[in-house]
Amino acid sequence: MIKALGVILLSLAVASHASARTYSYADAHQHYVDFLQQSQGIEALVQAMDEAGVSSSMLSGLSVVKKWDANEPKRPIYYMGDDAALYWYSLTDVMVARAIQSLPPLQQRRFHPFITGFNATDLNAIDHIRRMLEWYPGFWQGIGEVFTRHDDLTALTYGEPGRANHQAMDAIYALAAEYDLPVLVHANITSTRMPEPLYLAEFEQALAMHPRTKIIWAHAGTSGAINRRQVLPFLENELERLLGRYPNLYVDLSWSVLRPYILDQQGRPSPRWLQLIKSYPDRFMLGSDLVGTFTPLKATLEEFTPLLDALPLQVAQRLAKDNFLALLPKR
Ligand SMILES: [Zn+2]
């Protein structure tokens, strides 16, 4: 009896998680390679997209590569895996272009490639972007993910730490506006320890100074490294303020903002976030933020189901797919 009751309760629990809706996705944040510039390959990504109901995907490389330092006893597998530093790696863009162009034309059209292989503190970074636009005419549809304030990753990367309002970025935002390219920027709202929006002014200045540039804020300014150390009580207020003030701001809701902010520990969506998304239904998008390993794509996107199910259907569809596609250059 107790066992039978358990089975009934279990099946009720499963039923309550099952969505009556099926969503089609456009993945707004996806990396073809990991921090060692390795990938399962583009065929594996296409297969994962088919299984996950992802009709199309942003695709960028990773702008940095982890050094296998001679002092380290093992080959690293992640950027935080050991003490070795990372350096800027421009070839990543060519790897993305070669991978997409190896596909049949119909499959190629499912990808929206972004240029990322530059050091965003180099006043010459714009030269790399122009070179990519020239080498692959009509191919690139955005810029990023640009790493600016990124906690441990910033600390481990050789050279000057990036800022969303760095002088080198000004030229890039201007070029992006000229080519109608959205820019995905990773800009932590604060450091891992400070209980205030330490770095927000840098990001806000970029929004204010480049009103014609569509800027996508990766993870709404959060990061996994911050999450491990603190929960930010000011995040929603600041985000709401920025959305009201800067119509060029768009927000990627990938993993570190989904939990613990949008969904609580029981996986229930926060009323505040539901209201925020309903108030700005064309400004939010979903991303998987996978790095080179695409097997978890379906499971990663299904994490958003409780959020999508709690929104009106039309708003949910915009969030899952339409908002990201609407940002891409009109061709
Ligand atoms: Zn990313």
Side-chain angles (χ1 to χ4, degrees), residues 238-276:
E238 294 292 359
L239 181 60
E240 187 160 27
R241 183 178 67 77
L242 294 182
L243 284 165
R245 197 158 185 176
Y246 305 102
N248 56 330
L249 170 63
Y250 297 85
V251 186
D252 149 40
L253 296 183
S254 58
W255 66 287
S256 55
V257 65
L258 182 63
R259 290 172 198 274
Y261 296 97
I262 301 175
L263 301 182
D264 68 14
Q265 290 200 322
Q266 282 73 44
R268 291 170 306 206
S270 128
R272 178 83 194 269
W273 276 92
L274 291 174
Q275 193 48 54
L276 204 52

Side-chain angles (χ1 to χ4, degrees), residues 31 35-36 96 102 155 179 184 197 216 231-232 253 271 298 300 313:
H31 299 277
F35 286 92
L36 294 164
V96 167
S102 75
Y179 282 81
L184 174 65
I216 309 169
V231 177
L232 309 170
L253 296 183
K298 187 172 195 286
T300 305
L313 182 59

Side-chain angles (χ1 to χ4, degrees), residues 200-201 203-213 236-251 276 279-280 283:
L200 182 61
F203 183 66
E204 184 166 359
Q205 192 185 16
L207 290 170
M209 285 180 62
H210 301 279
R212 290 178 51 240
T213 307
E236 289 84 1
N237 286 343
E238 294 292 359
L239 181 60
E240 187 160 27
R241 183 178 67 77
L242 294 182
L243 284 165
R245 197 158 185 176
Y246 305 102
N248 56 330
L249 170 63
Y250 297 85
V251 186
L276 204 52
S279 303
Y280 296 96
R283 310 281 285 282

Side-chain angles (χ1 to χ4, degrees), residues 55-74:
S55 61
S56 68
S57 180
M58 175 272 194
L59 195 61
S60 76
L62 263 175
S63 55
V64 288
V65 63
K66 175 86 171 175
K67 183 187 175 194
W68 185 8
D69 198 286
N71 291 314
E72 295 296 340
K74 282 180 79 175

Side-chain angles (χ1 to χ4, degrees), residues 29-31 62 145 147 150 184 186 218-219 255 289-291:
H29 187 159
Q30 175 74 276
H31 299 277
L62 263 175
E145 181 183 16
F147 290 145
H150 197 314
L184 174 65
H186 186 114
H219 329 289
W255 66 287
D289 197 21
L290 297 178
V291 285

